[in-house]
Coordinates of all heavy atoms in Angstrom, one line a residue:
A106 N -111.0 85.7 48.0 CA -109.6 85.9 48.0 C -108.9 84.9 47.1 O -109.5 83.8 46.8 CB -109.0 85.9 49.4
P107 N -107.7 85.2 46.6 CA -107.0 84.2 45.7 C -106.9 82.9 46.4 O -106.5 82.7 47.5 CB -105.6 84.9 45.5 CG -105.9 86.3 45.7 CD -106.9 86.4 46.7
L108 N -107.2 81.8 45.6 CA -107.1 80.5 46.1 C -105.7 80.1 46.3 O -104.9 80.1 45.3 CB -107.9 79.5 45.1 CG -108.3 78.2 45.6 CD1 -109.4 77.6 44.7 CD2 -107.2 77.2 45.8
Q109 N -105.3 79.6 47.5 CA -103.9 79.2 47.7 C -103.8 77.7 47.5 O -104.6 76.9 48.1 CB -103.5 79.5 49.2 CG -103.3 81.0 49.4 CD -102.8 81.2 50.8 OE1 -103.4 80.9 51.8 NE2 -101.5 81.7 50.9
R110 N -102.9 77.3 46.6 CA -102.7 75.9 46.3 C -101.2 75.5 46.7 O -100.3 76.4 46.6 CB -103.0 75.6 44.9 CG -104.5 75.7 44.5 CD -104.8 74.8 43.3 NE -106.2 74.9 42.9 CZ -106.7 75.6 41.9 NH1 -105.9 76.3 41.2 NH2 -108.0 75.5 41.6
T111 N -101.0 74.3 47.0 CA -99.7 73.7 47.3 C -99.0 73.3 46.0 O -99.6 73.4 44.9 CB -99.8 72.5 48.2 OG1 -100.5 71.5 47.4 CG2 -100.7 72.8 49.4
V112 N -97.8 72.9 46.0 CA -97.1 72.4 44.9 C -97.8 71.1 44.3 O -97.5 70.8 43.1 CB -95.6 72.1 45.2 CG1 -94.9 73.3 45.6 CG2 -95.6 71.0 46.4
D113 N -98.6 70.5 45.1 CA -99.4 69.3 44.6 C -100.7 69.7 43.9 O -101.4 68.8 43.5 CB -99.7 68.4 45.7 CG -98.4 68.0 46.5 OD1 -97.6 67.2 45.8 OD2 -98.2 68.4 47.6
G114 N -101.0 71.0 43.8 CA -102.2 71.4 43.2 C -103.5 71.4 44.1 O -104.6 71.6 43.6
Q115 N -103.3 71.1 45.4 CA -104.4 71.0 46.3 C -104.6 72.4 47.0 O -103.6 73.1 47.2 CB -104.2 69.9 47.3 CG -104.1 68.5 46.7 CD -105.4 68.1 46.1 OE1 -106.4 68.4 46.6 NE2 -105.3 67.2 45.1
E116 N -105.8 72.6 47.5 CA -106.0 73.8 48.3 C -105.2 73.6 49.6 O -105.1 72.6 50.2 CB -107.5 73.9 48.6 CG -107.9 75.3 49.3 CD -107.5 75.4 50.7 OE1 -107.6 74.4 51.5 OE2 -107.0 76.5 51.1
L117 N -104.5 74.7 50.0 CA -103.5 74.6 51.1 C -104.1 74.1 52.4 O -103.5 73.2 53.0 CB -102.9 76.0 51.3 CG -101.9 76.2 52.4 CD1 -100.7 75.2 52.2 CD2 -101.4 77.6 52.6
T118 N -105.2 74.7 52.9 CA -105.7 74.3 54.2 C -106.2 72.8 54.2 O -105.9 72.1 55.1 CB -106.9 75.2 54.6 OG1 -106.4 76.6 54.6 CG2 -107.5 74.8 56.0
L119 N -106.8 72.4 53.2 CA -107.3 71.0 53.1 C -106.2 70.0 53.0 O -106.3 68.9 53.5 CB -108.3 70.9 51.9 CG -109.6 71.7 52.0 CD1 -110.5 71.3 50.8 CD2 -110.3 71.5 53.3
Q120 N -105.1 70.4 52.3 CA -103.9 69.5 52.3 C -103.2 69.5 53.6 O -102.9 68.4 54.1 CB -103.0 69.9 51.2 CG -101.7 69.0 51.1 CD -100.9 69.0 49.9 OE1 -101.5 69.3 48.8 NE2 -99.6 68.8 50.0
A121 N -102.9 70.7 54.2 CA -102.1 70.7 55.4 C -102.8 70.1 56.6 O -102.3 69.4 57.4 CB -101.7 72.1 55.7
N122 N -104.2 70.3 56.6 CA -105.0 69.8 57.8 C -105.5 68.4 57.6 O -105.9 67.7 58.6 CB -106.1 70.8 58.0 CG -105.6 72.1 58.5 OD1 -104.4 72.4 58.4 ND2 -106.5 73.0 58.9
H123 N -105.7 67.9 56.3 CA -106.2 66.6 56.1 C -105.4 65.7 55.2 O -104.9 64.7 55.6 CB -107.6 66.8 55.5 CG -108.1 65.5 54.8 ND1 -108.4 64.3 55.6 CD2 -108.3 65.1 53.5 CE1 -108.7 63.3 54.7 NE2 -108.7 63.8 53.5
L124 N -105.2 66.1 53.9 CA -104.6 65.2 53.0 C -103.2 64.8 53.3 O -102.7 63.7 53.1 CB -104.7 65.8 51.6 CG -104.3 64.9 50.4 CD1 -105.2 63.7 50.3 CD2 -104.3 65.7 49.1
G125 N -102.4 65.8 53.8 CA -101.0 65.5 54.2 C -100.9 64.4 55.3 O -100.1 63.5 55.3
H126 N -101.8 64.5 56.3 CA -101.9 63.6 57.4 C -102.4 62.2 56.8 O -102.0 61.2 57.3 CB -102.8 64.1 58.5 CG -102.1 65.1 59.4 ND1 -102.7 66.3 59.6 CD2 -101.0 65.0 60.1 CE1 -101.9 67.0 60.5 NE2 -100.8 66.2 60.8
F127 N -103.4 62.3 55.9 CA -103.9 61.1 55.3 C -102.8 60.2 54.7 O -102.7 59.0 54.9 CB -104.9 61.4 54.3 CG -105.6 60.3 53.6 CD1 -106.8 59.7 54.1 CD2 -105.1 59.7 52.4 CE1 -107.5 58.7 53.5 CE2 -105.8 58.6 51.8 CZ -107.0 58.1 52.4
L128 N -101.9 60.9 54.0 CA -100.8 60.2 53.3 C -99.8 59.8 54.4 O -99.3 58.6 54.4 CB -100.1 61.1 52.3 CG -98.9 60.5 51.6 CD1 -99.2 59.2 50.9 CD2 -98.3 61.5 50.7
L129 N -99.4 60.6 55.3 CA -98.4 60.3 56.3 C -98.8 59.1 57.1 O -98.0 58.2 57.4 CB -98.2 61.5 57.2 CG -97.2 61.3 58.4 CD1 -95.8 61.1 57.9 CD2 -97.3 62.5 59.4
I130 N -100.0 59.0 57.6 CA -100.5 57.9 58.4 C -100.5 56.6 57.6 O -100.1 55.6 58.1 CB -101.9 58.2 59.0 CG1 -101.7 59.3 60.0 CG2 -102.5 57.0 59.6 CD1 -103.0 60.0 60.5
H131 N -100.8 56.7 56.3 CA -100.8 55.5 55.5 C -99.3 55.0 55.4 O -99.1 53.8 55.5 CB -101.2 55.9 54.0 CG -100.8 55.0 53.0 ND1 -101.2 53.6 52.9 CD2 -99.9 55.2 51.9 CE1 -100.6 53.1 51.9 NE2 -99.8 54.0 51.2
L132 N -98.4 55.9 55.2 CA -97.0 55.5 55.0 C -96.3 55.0 56.3 O -95.4 54.2 56.3 CB -96.2 56.7 54.5 CG -96.5 57.2 53.1 CD1 -95.8 58.5 52.8 CD2 -96.3 56.1 52.1
L133 N -96.8 55.5 57.5 CA -96.3 55.0 58.8 C -97.1 53.9 59.4 O -96.8 53.5 60.5 CB -96.2 56.2 59.7 CG -95.2 57.3 59.3 CD1 -95.2 58.4 60.4 CD2 -93.8 56.7 59.1
L134 N -98.1 53.4 58.7 CA -98.9 52.3 59.3 C -98.1 51.1 59.6 O -98.3 50.4 60.6 CB -100.1 51.9 58.4 CG -101.4 52.7 58.6 CD1 -102.4 52.3 57.7 CD2 -101.8 52.5 60.1
P135 N -97.1 50.7 58.8 CA -96.3 49.5 59.2 C -95.6 49.7 60.6 O -95.6 48.7 61.3 CB -95.2 49.5 58.1 CG -95.8 50.1 56.9 CD -96.7 51.2 57.4
A136 N -95.2 50.9 60.9 CA -94.6 51.1 62.3 C -95.7 51.0 63.3 O -95.5 50.4 64.4 CB -93.9 52.4 62.3
L137 N -96.9 51.5 63.1 CA -98.0 51.5 64.0 C -98.5 50.0 64.2 O -98.8 49.6 65.3 CB -99.1 52.4 63.6 CG -98.9 53.9 63.8 CD1 -99.8 54.7 62.9 CD2 -99.0 54.3 65.2

Side-chain angles (χ1 to χ4, degrees):
L108 201 161
Q109 288 188 296
R110 289 202 179 104
T111 67
V112 293
D113 303 292
Q115 298 292 328
E116 193 284 319
L117 176 61
T118 301
L119 297 185
Q120 178 166 330
N122 296 8
H123 162 65
L124 189 63
H126 282 125
F127 183 90
L128 176 61
L129 177 65
I130 291 167
H131 160 66
L132 295 172
L133 294 182
L134 271 180
L137 287 161

